[in-house]
Amino acid sequence: MIRNYLKTAWRNIVNNKFYATINVAGLTVGLVVGIFMLLWVQDELSFDKANTNADKIYKVGIVGGTGISKQIFNNIIAPVATFAKSEVPEVKDAVRIMALGDAPFKYKDKVFIEPDFAFVDPSYFTVFDFPLIKGDKRHPFQDNSSVVITASTAKKYFGDEDPIGKVVMMGQDQQAKVTGVIADYPANSSFKYHIMMPTSMYNYQGYVKNKRTYDNKSFVSSMDGDWSQFGFQTYLLLKSDVNMAALEKKLQAIHERNKPEDAPVPYLTQPLLQMHLYKADGTDGGFSTVRTFGIVALMILIIACINYVNLSTARSMLRAKEVSMRKIIGADKFQLFMQFMVETAFLFVISAVFAFVLMFVLLPYFNQFSGKQITFSLTNYNIWLCIVATLLGTLAASSIYPAILLSSFEPLKALKGKVTVGIGNVAFRRILVVTQFAVSIVLIIGTLVIGNQLKFIRNKNLGYDKENIISVSMRQDMKDHFEVVKNELLKNPGVLAITRAGRNIVTDGSSTGDSDWDGKPANSNMWFNQIYADKDLIPFFKMKITEGSNFKGVVADSAHFLINETAVKEMGLKDPVGKRLRVQTITGTIIGVVKDFHFNTIHKKIEPAVFQYNPNYCWNLYIKTTGKDAQKAIASTQGLWKQYNNDVPFTYAFLDETYAKLYTTEQKQGSLFNLFSAIAIVISCLGLFGLATYSAQVKTREIGIRKVLGASVGKIIALLASEFMVLIIIAIVIAMPLAWFAMQGWLQDFAYKINITWGVFIIASVGATLIALATISIQSIKAALANPVKSLKNE
Amino acid sequence: MIKITNLEKFYRTEEVETIALNKLTMEVNTGEFVAIMGPSGCGKSTLLNILGMLDDPDEGSYMFNGIEIAHFNERKRADLRKHNIGFVFQSFNLIDELTVFENVELPLIYTGVSSADRVKRVEEVLDKMQIMHRRNHYPQQLSGGQQQRVAIARAVVNKPKLILADEPTGNLDSSNGNDVMELLTDLNEQGTTIIMVTHSEHDARYSHRIIRLLDGQTVMENIMV
Ligand SMILES: Nc1ncnc2c1ncn2[C@@H]1O[C@H](COP(=O)(O)OP(=O)(O)OP(=O)(O)O)[C@@H](O)[C@H]1O
Ligand SMILES: [Mg+2]
């Protein structure tokens, strides 16, 4: 039986190469894109799931600040974990991670800057599934100067030699002995630390060896006694069925008991499994993008299925005679149903084979484009599950309706050529075409809106100048010789100005809630973004002082503050200049107000900021060049770097590129959407082309008669095209509000955004209409020009 | 074998109602060869389709082998049909995508005959219809007479008790037409009941009995001698 089905299926394809090609092409493209996108979605959703305890691990955060400065701190103080473990019964274990990043490590003559360096608690290796593959599992660190590395890091430093017991140099003088190796992290792990030392080492360096005087009132002798330094990612491994709200209260109580002046300091927990796609407060942190991509993937698959359904039901009219005869001869409904299912499945297998070949070829590009590391290895169960589910789902969606339709033809009527299903069926096909185009148009509008917002970001006046600026993160020696470095660099004719700051101007930096000022409202818990500066920073970045004056570069400036306009507003100050302000240990005077500028991504509203004059904390060197002399400036900076920090490789960045990198996600979304809408429209047009061909075929006789009766070619084209143009117009009408809502949602994520204008809708509509019209016209013109005598004979 | 009483069939369109069969009563016995004649539009095909269970009557009774089937649903009718009835049409209605062999084999596939048995039985009928040498040709490659022989082969391969033929010679020249009539006569002599619609008095003479219809009613029965 099956053999017979397959034989018929094959002959059907061979006899109708045109339809088969359109169907296979549409399905193949749809499958490739759909599966790739679903793989991406699946990968995004799988983050950190590999951990056995994943559902019992929570990250601890603190809510700080009020008003516009309200924010969540993911890095908290060290003692909370220790207290929680001993005092809170729900807590089984705790892990702290202090990621410092960019630590220089040396082994023999190899030097690496390790961005993924961190101090971790030994529990890091057991709470998470990061067991040691070499070394003593129970004691990952033997002492303070032990280090655990990943397998690939071991390879990088030691080649094929046994890494255990090898000693690397951290920085200038700290020895670190490798006592453990863990497997490389899976690509879908949120944790990517490749070199880890124990937190006890951090404690030794920061509190024992060098007494920390950060807390103004007393010297702190251990990190577990330091209630001021927010720097530890803290994860708790909990027992089952924990009341999270109660737990948060307990953590808050611990904090407030030990540091009453911080009260109230609400605590917050976030499930490990939500970390990748949600922000700490549970708001969207990427999930909506994943959802959008998932929906778009399904839409593209649906469009591809619609093509198949449309074409095969259209053709079913031509097969009515065959189906009737089979019934009369004795086929029952189920047998016919199976026959058509097999036919679809057959075409599907062909498409799937093509799709696999294409995916295999395109996988490296996909990985590069998406930043994933997906491989089609046989062991990756999830990937195959995703692929098989997509194939089966698509197969079911495109096979069942045509099979039911065809198998339920009434044999007699079909035999006489009076297929009454025709009419209802045509309406159904129209709905499908409208759906296809509506989806395509939504995607086109999406592409345009994303493009416009990206342009808006690029051209937005940030309130400071970021063009032709090179930034270099100095190390100790160079920083201590800043004046010499500055003078050397300024000798370079391409270098226009030099300044330094405590943070990278375009991104997040440190902030503090430890502040006080004249007239501070009792309930205010406002946080300042801290910007350490020297006197050249404001003019260098062409920022504006709206009131008061800039730093003068004198010693007294260390007790002077500049604040931004938002800070003035949030602090509730009338005449800020001259007012007293304390920030952490420094009490001084506000000497000026800086016009607001975007020191963060424009996803965020501008927050309060304070400029503090403290050249000693200014690790960032900024060099303004003429642009064309940038390379020379870099070369001479590198020369100076070698002079001071020869042990560490020289790195630099262009500020405008750093800024652009803040929006790589959006940029990627933009180009992906370009691609998706192009593919959606191509698949839809394939289907439309097929339908137009069919329609012209069916109407060959009608066209012939009309021509004999004297209709012009133009009139006939209009007759054929108008049928489809109505559908496109309906699609446009449906697509516009959908796209508006969807894109409004996307823009929600930006504090500063464009308005969606009519222009976007018009461009998308006209574009889609023209493409559709062109597609239909090819067939219509052919039909209209055909010799009527021939087409009449054909019948 | 067949006994219909007061059979009625209407066709309703938006404006008109056509009475295709009007209280028709007739009987056909096992082993008979009956010809149905009458002017165009008198309801011959309608009657044949109801007898063949492709269509159901609106009123009246249809006993087939002693079972009342007028109100059978489609599935039951289909089941009864595939084991008992073979069809031959004026326009052959072979399936273009299948070869001669496959066309004839199809009814056996649908009734679930094993593959080895199928080959044997198909070859047997093709032999009998003298079309064996064309077994691997497609219908388009055959003459009208050959196509009709294939269609008859397909109708009889399942050894049906009843063959319904709607103007089987209508598209054939007289020599091919006579061949087809000989084949039907042979089948009838081997025990198959045959009901044939025809416009040709010549063809009707092959039958035992002629039923003449007018406006959906029997007007006359001629017994052939
Ligand atoms: N599907 C239908 N809808 C409406 N009327 C129909 C339908 N089928 C048949 N009729 C009508 O029923 C009547 C009988 O038709 P039928 O096909 O049985 O005639 P016939 O005797 O076979 O004619 P012919 O010799 O031309 O084949 C005719 O008047 C025809 O118009
Ligand atoms: Mg007729």
Side-chain angles (χ1 to χ4, degrees), chain A residues 416 418, chain B residues 11 18 20 39-46 167 199:
Chain A
K416 283 188 186 165
K418 292 178 190 163
Chain B
Y11 289 113
T18 316
S40 188
C42 69
K44 306 180 294 291
S45 296
T46 305
E167 299 183 45
H199 280 291

Side-chain angles (χ1 to χ4, degrees), chain A residues 205-278:
Chain A
Q205 282 185 339
Y207 296 89
V208 182
K209 202 169 106 196
N210 313 307
K211 287 261 186 293
R212 187 172 286 266
T213 56
Y214 180 86
D215 189 327
N216 205 20
K217 285 149 235 160
S218 58
F219 285 94
V220 179
S221 60
S222 81
M223 69 181 198
D224 272 334
D226 186 345
W227 294 87
S228 295
Q229 203 214 356
F230 288 74
F232 292 90
Q233 295 173 50
T234 302
Y235 299 88
L236 301 180
L237 173 62
L238 304 180
K239 297 188 173 140
S240 310
D241 305 319
V242 170
N243 178 343
M244 295 312 296
L247 178 78
E248 287 165 3
K249 282 269 173 292
K250 287 181 192 174
L251 296 175
Q252 176 174 358
I254 291 172
H255 187 136
E256 289 173 359
R257 191 179 76 217
N258 286 282
K259 196 159 185 252
E261 61 269 38
D262 276 359
V265 47
Y267 267 67
L268 201 71
T269 51
Q270 181 184 30
L272 175 69
L273 291 179
Q274 284 194 6
M275 248 172 52
H276 181 63
L277 293 176
Y278 293 90

Side-chain angles (χ1 to χ4, degrees), chain A residues 348-571:
Chain A
F348 234 79
V349 170
I350 296 176
S351 310
V353 168
F354 280 125
F356 268 121
V357 172
L358 260 179
M359 283 198 299
F360 204 75
V361 173
L362 294 177
L363 188 66
Y365 303 98
F366 169 75
N367 277 338
Q368 195 184 2
F369 200 58
S370 64
K372 298 273 174 220
Q373 295 166 32
I374 290 168
T375 50
F376 290 134
S377 77
L378 283 171
T379 48
N380 199 334
Y381 158 85
N382 278 327
I383 285 180
W384 293 106
L385 192 75
C386 176
I387 291 175
V388 169
T390 311
L391 283 176
L392 290 182
T394 328
L395 175 59
S398 38
S399 59
I400 292 176
Y401 176 74
I404 290 180
L405 181 82
L406 278 165
S407 58
S408 53
F409 275 162
E410 280 185 53
L412 259 186
K413 289 177 185 159
L415 202 55
K416 283 188 186 165
K418 292 178 190 163
V419 190
T420 45
V421 281
I423 296 158
N425 186 24
V426 165
F428 180 71
R429 275 208 305 278
R430 288 190 174 141
I431 293 172
L432 293 184
V433 171
V434 168
T435 312
Q436 278 187 319
F437 272 85
V439 169
S440 302
I441 292 164
V442 169
L443 286 175
I444 295 176
I445 294 175
T447 307
L448 292 173
V449 171
I450 294 176
N452 284 351
Q453 174 71 10
L454 287 176
K455 204 160 88 198
F456 171 78
I457 292 171
R458 271 198 303 279
N459 299 334
K460 175 144 186 58
N461 182 358
L462 298 171
Y464 67 90
D465 176 27
K466 62 174 163 41
E467 302 308 316
N468 299 322
I469 292 173
I470 299 162
S471 77
V472 175
S473 175
M474 293 183 285
R475 307 204 73 83
Q476 187 85 42
D477 254 14
M478 193 171 186
K479 189 198 72 173
D480 291 347
H481 294 87
F482 175 75
E483 290 303 330
V484 185
V485 170
K486 177 176 168 182
N487 290 331
E488 273 305 308
L489 285 174
L490 281 173
K491 281 185 197 153
N492 217 310
V495 174
L496 300 177
I498 301 284
T499 192
R500 54 184 159 165
R503 72 193 258 158
N504 193 338
I505 290 294
V506 299
T507 58
D508 270 322
S510 65
S511 49
T512 180
D514 185 9
S515 63
D516 192 22
W517 61 88
D518 284 340
K520 180 179 184 177
N523 59 352
S524 168
N525 186 11
M526 194 196 82
W527 283 64
F528 279 109
N529 279 271
Q530 293 170 282
I531 302 171
Y532 294 111
D534 73 358
K535 69 176 183 0
D536 300 322
L537 187 83
I538 302 283
F540 180 93
F541 282 108
K542 303 204 176 98
M543 295 168 185
K544 295 209 173 48
I545 303 243
T546 55
E547 261 180 84
S549 60
N550 189 10
F551 301 122
K552 309 219 163 38
V554 294
V555 180
D557 275 340
S558 60
H560 288 163
F561 298 106
L562 294 171
I563 58 176
N564 70 350
E565 292 171 324
T566 304
V568 176
K569 242 179 283 156
E570 290 290 313
M571 289 162 80

Side-chain angles (χ1 to χ4, degrees), chain B residues 31-48:
Chain B
E32 264 196 304
F33 186 163
V34 177
I36 296 173
M37 298 190 75
S40 188
C42 69
K44 306 180 294 291
S45 296
T46 305
L47 172 62
L48 211 63

Side-chain angles (χ1 to χ4, degrees), chain A residues 37 112 125 143 154 188 227 268 284 299 346 425 515 534 541 577 647 653 698 733 749:
Chain A
M37 287 175 76
F112 299 100
F125 304 100
D143 57 32
N188 58 0
W227 294 87
L268 201 71
D284 178 46
M299 281 179 164
F346 195 82
N425 186 24
S515 63
D534 73 358
F541 282 108
V577 177
D647 55 327
V698 168
V733 171
D749 210 22

